[in-house]
């Protein structure tokens, strides 16, 4: 009897009838060389609660899967072994297994990428090797961005990247990677984890340098998971930032100041919401009425008059708005505001009003041309 046959025969002796039946089905697929069906079967079998221990899974690989691993789908093989790797207590041994596996599946790019992501997870979660994790993230970033389409690895990569960025305090990168993860793998993300992820993303949106498109998070269903929780105030705070509502920001200070990271960055938060307030002021105005006085800006942002010009210069430098400052007249002539995901109720409604005004102006112009046309034709 061959090694594989004796191994399978031994496994079928289990007193667990359900498990014995599973082993019998696996044996039949193996004997008939139905590699695709066997790969699918093993993909679910390795998650069977009866074999969730290192010894059973490692033996399954060494005594069975390793004998035909070059005959099955490379990505399917990596998916199966990801379960085995997760149960190996010696994480350096797990890394070595993944390194060897990369060579075996090198004909499939996605399989190699998946191996690298798993190595990154081990470095980050078990070995606390931030430098190795960073290198893997950087190596894969450009490759995945140029992949042309979203692969099953993208979601796993963005989860790894977001975990790393949150750990090292890179709020902007965490926010972007977190949203990209949700865009790829929201259906696979456990509902129980939604509130925590939403909370972390909300904080990152507020604290992240260069993050002004908060509406992107507000439009995502994950944020609603904070409703009726102890952190539901964060939804209102994000809405206040998105609309540049400084009064709301100040009135909510008793709540947000309890979060140490937010309290420590109060000055930066004030600067950010002031910039968002300026963007909102520009957005609300019709294109032909975007000459805003320094006095108006000072009143809306609650800044001293002598700080308004600095605020406008920061907004111009960061590409949030475009325009020209007239120091003599004490005004700024705005010509453009950075596009953002809009709040459905207030900002989209404001845009609808702007469009109605614009259509009314066109209609009036049309009537004026019609009335003057007779004079031109007569003369």
């Amino acid at each position: 009897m061959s090694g594989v046959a004796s191994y399978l025969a031994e496994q079928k002796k289990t007193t667990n009838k359900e498990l014995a039946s599973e082993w019998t089905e696996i044996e039949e697929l193996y004997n008939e060389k139905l590699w695709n069906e066997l790969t699918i079967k093993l993909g679910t079998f390795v998650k069977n609660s009866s074999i969730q221990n290192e010894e059973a899974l490692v033996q399954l690989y060494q005594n069975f899967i390793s004998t035909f691993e070059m005959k099955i789908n490379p990505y399917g093989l990596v998916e199966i072994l990801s379960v085995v790797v997760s149960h190996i207590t010696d994480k350096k041994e797990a890394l070595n297994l993944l390194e060897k596996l990369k060579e075996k599946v090198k004909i499939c790019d996605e399989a190699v990428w998946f191996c690298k992501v798993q190595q990154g997870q081990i470095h980050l979660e078990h070995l606390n090797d931030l430098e190795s994790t960073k290198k893997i993230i950087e190596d894969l970033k450009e490759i995945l961005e140029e992949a042309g389409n979203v692969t099953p690895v993208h979601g796993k990569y963005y989860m790894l990247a977001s975990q790393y960025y949150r750990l090292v305090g890179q709020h902007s990168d965490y926010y972007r990677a977190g949203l990209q993860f949700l865009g790829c793998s929201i259906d696979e993300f456990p509902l129980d984890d939604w509130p925590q992820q939403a909370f972390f993303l909300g904080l990152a949106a507020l604290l992240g340098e260069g993050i002004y498109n908060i509406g992107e998070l507000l439009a995502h269903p994950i944020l609603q998971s904070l409703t009726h929780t102890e952190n539901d105030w964060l939804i209102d705070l994000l809405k206040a930032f998105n609309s540049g509502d400084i009064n709301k920001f100040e009135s909510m200070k008793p709540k947000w100041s309890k979060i140490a990271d937010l309290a420590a960055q109060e000055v930066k938060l004030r600067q950010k919401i002031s910039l968002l307030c300026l963007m909102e002021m520009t957005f609300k105005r019709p294109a032909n009425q975007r000459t805003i006085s320094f006095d108006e800006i000072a009143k809306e942002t609650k800044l001293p008059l002598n700080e308004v010009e600095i605020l406008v210069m920061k907004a111009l430098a960061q590409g949030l708005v475009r325009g020209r400052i007239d120091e003599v007249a004490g005004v700024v002539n705005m010509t453009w505001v950075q596009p953002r995901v809009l709040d459905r109720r207030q900002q989209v409604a404001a845009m609808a009003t702007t469009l109605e005004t614009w259509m009314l102006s066109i209609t009036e112009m049309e009537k004026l041309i019609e009335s003057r046309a007779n004079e031109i034709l007569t003369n």
Side-chain angles (χ1 to χ4, degrees):
M1 185 180 291
S2 69
V4 171
S6 60
Y7 170 74
L8 293 175
E10 187 65 30
Q11 301 311 306
K12 288 191 295 180
K13 291 179 182 178
T14 177
T15 55
N16 184 328
K17 292 183 178 179
E18 184 180 336
L19 187 60
S21 175
E22 294 277 291
W23 280 113
T24 299
E25 185 180 346
I26 287 171
E27 183 180 39
E28 290 173 356
L29 293 172
Y30 172 77
N31 290 334
E32 293 175 21
K33 295 181 172 55
L34 298 173
W35 306 124
N36 185 53
E37 290 81 352
L38 180 58
T39 304
I40 295 170
K41 180 63 183 177
L42 286 171
T44 55
F45 180 70
V46 290
K47 298 171 186 175
N48 190 302
S49 58
S50 302
I51 61 168
Q52 294 307 295
N53 63 80
E54 182 178 0
E55 183 181 1
L57 288 168
V58 170
Q59 284 187 6
L60 172 63
Y61 173 63
Q62 292 177 343
N63 298 321
F64 184 54
I65 298 174
S66 64
T67 64
F68 58 86
E69 60 186 349
M70 302 305 289
K71 299 177 181 178
I72 65 177
N73 177 278
Y75 189 82
L77 174 63
V78 177
E79 280 191 308
I80 293 167
L81 292 191
S82 67
V83 180
V84 178
V85 166
S86 68
H87 283 80
I88 297 176
T89 51
D90 185 341
K91 294 307 173 184
K92 290 187 177 179
E93 183 184 329
L95 286 174
N96 290 333
L97 176 58
L98 287 167
E99 195 62 36
K100 293 174 183 175
L101 186 58
K102 280 195 295 185
E103 186 63 28
K104 294 174 182 177
V105 298
K106 62 184 179 182
I107 60 169
C108 174
D109 289 340
E110 292 178 18
V112 174
W113 301 339
F114 191 7
C115 287
K116 288 184 178 181
V117 169
Q118 289 181 73
Q119 288 179 314
Q121 288 173 329
I122 292 172
H123 283 303
L124 182 66
E125 297 172 14
H126 301 284
L127 302 179
N128 195 31
D129 187 345
L130 298 179
E131 198 58 40
S132 295
T133 307
K134 180 182 178 181
K135 186 177 186 309
I136 289 171
I137 290 171
E138 290 177 347
D139 288 347
L140 285 174
K141 184 177 181 180
E142 189 174 342
I143 293 172
L144 292 177
E145 286 178 352
E146 295 177 357
N149 60 297
V150 177
T151 70
V153 183
H154 277 75
K156 297 174 176 61
Y157 166 78
Y158 289 127
M159 171 55 85
L160 170 66
S162 65
Q163 289 173 333
Y164 168 78
Y165 291 134
R166 185 170 68 84
L167 197 61
V168 298
Q170 292 178 218
H171 302 298
S172 301
D173 291 325
Y174 168 71
Y175 179 73
R176 295 186 185 99
L179 284 181
Q180 286 172 310
F181 164 73
L182 294 178
C184 297
S185 305
I186 186 65
D187 295 334
E188 300 170 17
F189 195 51
L191 285 173
D192 291 344
D193 294 339
W194 280 34
Q196 185 184 56
Q197 183 77 353
F199 180 70
F200 287 149
L201 282 171
L203 294 185
L206 298 174
L207 295 169
E209 290 283 340
I211 302 296
Y212 296 97
N213 194 0
I214 297 173
E216 195 172 0
L217 177 59
L218 285 170
H220 200 287
I222 196 172
L223 198 63
Q224 298 311 309
S225 65
L226 291 177
T227 306
H228 306 307
T229 70
E230 62 180 352
N231 295 318
D232 59 357
W233 56 268
L234 185 56
I235 300 175
D236 292 331
L237 185 60
L238 287 167
K239 288 179 178 178
F241 267 76
N242 194 51
S243 60
D245 189 341
I246 293 176
N247 289 326
K248 184 74 172 177
F249 168 68
E250 292 178 343
S251 69
M252 291 187 68
K253 185 174 180 179
K255 290 185 177 180
W256 60 256
S257 61
K258 292 178 181 178
I259 306 299
D261 287 347
L262 296 181
Q265 299 295 329
E266 182 175 354
V267 173
K268 286 189 176 181
L269 290 175
R270 179 61 192 250
Q271 290 174 349
K272 174 177 271 193
I273 199 168
S274 295
L275 287 167
L276 285 161
C277 179
L278 179 62
M279 291 174 72
E280 190 70 10
M281 289 178 71
T282 306
F283 171 76
K284 285 180 178 179
R285 284 166 165 72
N288 60 351
Q289 296 177 26
R290 285 185 173 174
T291 298
I292 311 173
S293 71
F294 286 3
D295 287 329
E296 287 179 277
I297 296 172
K299 182 179 178 182
E300 287 286 328
T301 60
K302 295 190 173 182
L303 287 174
L305 192 60
N306 62 348
E307 292 183 18
V308 168
E309 187 175 356
I310 297 172
L311 176 73
V312 176
M313 289 172 69
K314 283 182 179 178
L316 291 169
Q318 293 187 48
L320 302 178
V321 294
R322 291 176 192 159
R324 184 173 56 83
I325 298 173
D326 187 335
E327 293 183 64
V328 177
V331 299
V332 56
N333 299 302
M334 296 296 193
T335 58
W336 177 87
V337 61
Q338 186 184 86
R340 294 181 293 158
V341 176
L342 303 179
D343 175 74
R344 292 179 183 178
R345 292 183 180 179
Q346 296 180 340
Q347 291 172 319
V348 172
M351 178 174 277
T353 303
T354 301
L355 286 172
E356 286 176 7
T357 304
W358 181 58
M359 291 298 293
L360 184 61
S361 299
I362 292 174
T363 303
E364 290 175 352
M365 180 61 69
E366 184 182 9
K367 290 178 179 178
L368 178 63
I369 292 172
E370 285 178 356
S371 64
R372 293 290 176 86
N374 290 329
E375 297 176 19
I376 294 170
L377 290 173
T378 303
N379 295 331

